[in-house]
Amino acid sequence: MRRAYSVETVRAAEAALMQRLPEGALMQRAAAGLAVACGDLLRRGGRVYGARVLLLVGSGDNGGDALYAGARLARRGAGVRALLLAPDRAHPGGLAAFLAAGGQVVDGPDGLGVLDLIVDGITGIGGRGGLRADATELLDAVTRDRTPVIAVDLPSGVEADTGEVHGDAVRADATVTFGTYKPGLLIDPAAEHAGALRLVDIGLGPDLPEPPDLEALQYADVAALLPVPGGESDKYRRGVVGVVAGSERYPGAAVLAVAGALRGGAGAVRYVGPGADAVIGRYPEALVHAGPPSKAGRVQAWVVGPGLGDGREAEAAVADVLAADVPVLVDADGLRLLDAETVRTRTAPTVLTPHAGEAAALLSTAREDVEAGRLAAVRELAARYRATVLLKGSTTLVAEARDTPVRVNPTGTAWLATAGSGDVLSGLTGSLLAAGLAPRDAASVGAYLHGLAARHGSDGAPLSAQDVADGIPAAWRDVRAG
């Protein structure tokens, strides 16, 4: 599992560790890992010896890391030059080591020639706001030829704690981070600036508290949570999920939500709504009922909302489902039709799965604000509605009302931006709720499998929501195989 901590927590852990280490040892560990990563990247493009490297050096410890790493590269035969953005405040020990190793300090971007690598050490994890105008101008000048950029700990100009980007920021091809991940490396829009991530262990582990601020499940974590039937399982023990979805205008939403539930491992799916003929025509194993949902038969979880439309019948269906004493997932039109106080006072778990626009409506704010501050938005939604919230998007986030780490899904892909994909995710997550997974686990595993399924379904080509549903079994096999 990838774990991320706030700047305050990282600094406290570093301070505790430095008390037990010789002076400068922590920076040397970071610089050594950075130099190895730079060397690996340079070798992919040709060689380290004779490579042309430019360090962009700010006044903080990240600048010191870059200078010490540059010294190591210079001793391996690379031609390393440093551009100091604040010459009178450059790290003195790092600068001395860099010059002693044969590194050169340059005054500006003119005359640098062709570069093989740029190292971004402008600002550190404590930076706030975007890059200053002079840093932006310099960055534009040296990256004009699309030279690969490797960021030190965090791309300069992004917010470490939130993933927000206020102004100009470095777009790195790779980021080498130290000790632990920072939330901004895993959450968009900042994550889009980070490129490939590499974590260097500098010994912070024993000094990092539980729980982290953010976590991202990996294959082994998801495999441990997957509900796998045993020898005594039957369709009811595996979980029966009810799906209230679709309308005369959107019958396909019903089909796709049922597809996600069936592919997600539900023992049975009870469908309620006007799309019964379409559902049975595609999935004859589905159990259909005219409604209301409370009369459809026993279920272990409900999914309500995809393609439900407007009107009194739709509103009544949402209210009926929310009155049930089982976990309920509310998506799409259901999010517009729900009564907030009913959700807050439910004794059974509730999972809300909005995209940014729906989240903005639930929070009475602008969509742009949600997209710019995804972490704050998902936490506020969970607290305000006392629910588990899965905020869909380029990085899907899962938050609970209680104080547990927010989870970020690492398997998302742009191919999921297709009509009906969210309906599949709702059915899939509902099946995991019905199987007995806790709401946070069901939402996290559902998002993880959903992303993998899209990768299987697309194979690099455009795909439909039905392709995503059909890719779920392959994603399941991948996770179990490790």
Side-chain angles (χ1 to χ4, degrees):
M1 184 180 294
R2 285 181 168 178
R3 298 150 61 83
Y5 288 87
S6 68
V7 172
E8 181 181 0
T9 302
V10 170
R11 284 181 167 162
E14 289 176 342
L17 179 57
M18 283 190 286
Q19 293 294 318
R20 306 192 299 271
L21 294 176
E23 185 177 355
L26 199 61
M27 182 170 285
Q28 289 297 337
R29 289 180 181 181
L34 175 60
V36 169
C38 290
D40 290 345
L41 198 152
L42 287 169
R43 275 194 297 273
R44 290 177 199 166
R47 67 197 187 285
V48 177
Y49 187 88
R52 293 149 297 188
V53 180
L54 176 66
L55 313 179
L56 301 180
V57 180
S59 58
D61 285 348
N62 275 31
D65 295 333
L67 287 166
Y68 277 120
R72 289 172 178 266
L73 292 172
R75 288 196 294 269
R76 294 175 60 184
V80 188
R81 288 170 284 183
L83 216 166
L84 309 180
L85 278 77
D88 56 334
R89 290 183 289 146
H91 190 278
L95 183 57
F98 176 71
L99 294 173
Q104 294 180 317
V105 173
V106 295
D107 295 329
D110 295 335
L112 290 174
V114 178
L115 298 169
D116 297 301
L117 180 65
I118 296 170
V119 179
D120 162 34
I122 301 173
T123 63
I125 59 175
R128 292 291 182 270
L131 293 173
R132 298 194 310 269
D134 58 339
T136 298
E137 185 178 347
L138 173 62
L139 189 66
D140 289 343
V142 299
T143 58
R144 200 167 289 142
D145 295 328
R146 299 185 181 273
T147 303
V149 176
I150 191 164
V152 181
D153 213 12
L154 190 83
S156 296
V158 309
E159 301 287 331
D161 281 345
T162 65
E164 297 174 19
V165 180
H166 301 294
D168 293 323
V170 169
R171 284 193 175 271
D173 297 277
T175 297
V176 180
T177 196
F178 309 123
T180 184
Y181 295 100
K182 288 75 186 176
L185 294 172
L186 303 177
I187 302 173
D188 283 335
E192 294 180 351
H193 290 253
L197 298 180
R198 184 162 181 166
L199 177 64
V200 173
D201 183 4
I202 56 174
L204 288 188
D207 295 294
L208 291 170
E210 292 291 342
D213 293 281
L214 193 79
E215 59 188 24
L217 301 184
Q218 304 296 295
Y219 266 45
D221 308 305
V222 176
L225 292 169
L226 286 179
V228 180
E232 297 300 314
S233 295
D234 58 32
K235 62 186 177 183
Y236 299 107
R237 289 189 178 95
R238 288 182 60 188
V240 180
V241 58
V243 174
V244 183
S247 58
E248 290 184 5
R249 185 178 182 185
Y250 301 115
V255 175
L256 291 169
V258 169
L262 289 170
R263 295 287 193 269
V269 176
R270 295 190 188 277
Y271 171 74
V272 179
D277 289 344
V279 168
I280 289 294
R282 188 63 183 265
Y283 299 108
E285 64 269 43
L287 312 172
V288 301
H289 194 279
S294 56
K295 303 295 184 182
R298 181 170 172 264
V299 299
Q300 279 79 46
W302 279 106
V303 172
V304 62
L308 207 57
D310 297 309
R312 292 181 181 177
E313 289 186 4
E315 188 173 355
V318 173
D320 192 48
V321 167
L322 288 173
D325 191 26
V326 298
V328 171
L329 183 150
V330 188
D331 183 34
D333 292 329
L335 296 168
R336 293 187 296 101
L337 299 173
L338 61 78
D339 176 74
E341 189 58 28
T342 297
V343 173
R344 282 191 284 266
T345 57
R346 291 190 79 238
T347 55
T350 309
V351 179
L352 308 180
T353 60
H355 55 56
E358 292 160 343
L362 291 170
L363 291 172
S364 300
T365 188
R367 178 181 186 129
E368 293 77 13
D369 293 339
V370 172
E371 291 175 335
R374 299 180 56 78
L375 185 58
V378 74
R379 283 174 168 159
E380 174 62 21
L381 279 168
R384 186 179 298 190
Y385 287 86
R386 299 174 197 167
T388 300
V389 177
L390 184 157
L391 177 58
K392 294 180 282 194
S394 54
T395 47
T396 292
L397 301 178
V398 178
E400 288 186 313
R402 56 197 182 97
D403 190 20
T404 54
V406 173
R407 282 184 176 162
V408 56
N409 178 53
T411 65
T413 167
W415 291 120
L416 286 170
T418 186
S421 172
D423 305 336
V424 174
L425 175 60
S426 294
L428 168 59
T429 305
S431 73
L432 297 169
L433 285 170
L437 267 66
R440 177 166 167 261
D441 291 336
S444 304
V445 172
Y448 195 97
L449 292 173
H450 190 238
L452 286 183
R455 296 170 191 265
H456 277 288
S458 73
D459 194 25
L463 81 169
S464 68
Q466 187 63 56
D467 294 329
V468 178
D470 292 342
I472 293 173
W476 197 292
R477 286 192 297 271
D478 274 2
V479 168
R480 295 207 63 200

